[in-house]
Amino acid sequence: TSLNLFARDYTNRVVFGWEMPTLWLQAANSVFIILLAPVFAVVWLSLGRRAKDPSSVAKFAWGLFFAGLGFVVMWVAANIVVNGGGNIRVSPWWLVFSYFLQTIGELSLSPVGLSSMTKLAPVKFKGQMMGVWFMASALGNLIAGLVGGHVDPNNLSEMPQLFQRTAFSLFIATAVLGLLIVPIRRMMGES
């Protein structure tokens, strides 16, 4: 929600006199998914063949890290707008680059999570665990919607703080997962 509001209110979407619809910027994520999913598949398979594939938890940590970087980009862009008193509209490339980083994070997390659910769940509970994975994603989207719903498009000073808090939260989660990589790898090796 906050990225859409930023695109609508603080992004220069005029190209050769034509104003690009706000939702077109949101399509960048889908384009990046389509373009990068095969690349990630090749990278993960290649690393796996050489026995250098990072653990699922490490991939999750990288995913959260890149998502955090995407919000750092938006924090910088929002500060440019705030420092201009709200009279400056930034380039759409800020949003595109943010979506690119978030897509890298998503591709390090979402398919890996689904794969982990099918690998680690007992045979009887594979379907349920896949449901739990999707339920967790839905809960995350609900929380994101609640947080984004509190963004006041008329209060510009909130934007950088929101992006900074989001990035900081993602970096804390990255650090926690980073600390858990070795213990979880041991537990998975023992089971």
Side-chain angles (χ1 to χ4, degrees):
T1 305
S2 58
L3 294 176
N4 287 336
L5 290 173
F6 191 88
R8 183 191 73 193
D9 298 334
Y10 306 115
T11 303
N12 180 7
R13 301 182 327 268
V14 177
V15 180
F16 301 115
W18 171 76
E19 187 170 19
M20 175 190 335
T22 305
L23 293 177
W24 282 28
L25 287 168
Q26 201 174 27
N29 176 255
S30 301
V31 170
F32 287 135
I33 293 270
I34 291 166
L35 294 175
L36 295 177
V39 173
F40 271 73
V42 167
V43 168
W44 295 146
L45 289 172
S46 174
L47 288 171
R49 272 187 241 120
R50 291 184 275 155
K52 294 185 179 189
D53 191 26
S55 69
S56 297
V57 179
K59 291 175 186 175
F60 290 165
W62 279 109
L64 294 174
F65 176 75
F66 278 102
L69 286 179
F71 280 100
V72 168
V73 167
M74 291 312 301
W75 172 70
V76 172
N79 275 318
I80 290 170
V81 174
V82 168
N83 292 337
N87 299 320
I88 295 174
R89 289 183 167 225
V90 296
S91 167
W93 291 110
W94 287 96
L95 277 162
V96 170
F97 187 53
S98 176
Y99 282 128
F100 173 75
L101 292 169
Q102 290 177 32
T103 300
I104 290 174
E106 183 178 348
L107 288 170
S108 298
L109 211 144
S110 186
V112 174
L114 285 172
S115 173
S116 296
M117 293 298 110
T118 59
K119 285 180 191 172
L120 298 174
V123 176
K124 287 197 260 185
F125 299 109
K126 283 188 191 282
Q128 287 174 322
M129 292 312 293
M130 295 279 287
V132 168
W133 175 261
F134 285 116
M135 186 177 66
S137 294
L139 184 60
N141 285 327
L142 172 67
I143 292 168
L146 292 173
V147 169
H150 291 293
V151 174
D152 181 3
N154 298 320
N155 188 355
L156 177 59
S157 64
E158 279 184 2
M159 283 285 185
Q161 294 169 356
L162 173 68
F163 295 141
Q164 183 182 32
R165 279 193 311 265
T166 304
F168 188 68
S169 299
L170 288 164
F171 291 143
I172 288 173
T174 299
V176 168
L177 279 178
L179 293 172
L180 293 173
I181 290 171
V182 173
I184 290 176
R185 188 182 307 142
R186 277 193 211 124
M187 285 190 296
M188 288 172 67
E190 293 169 5
S191 63

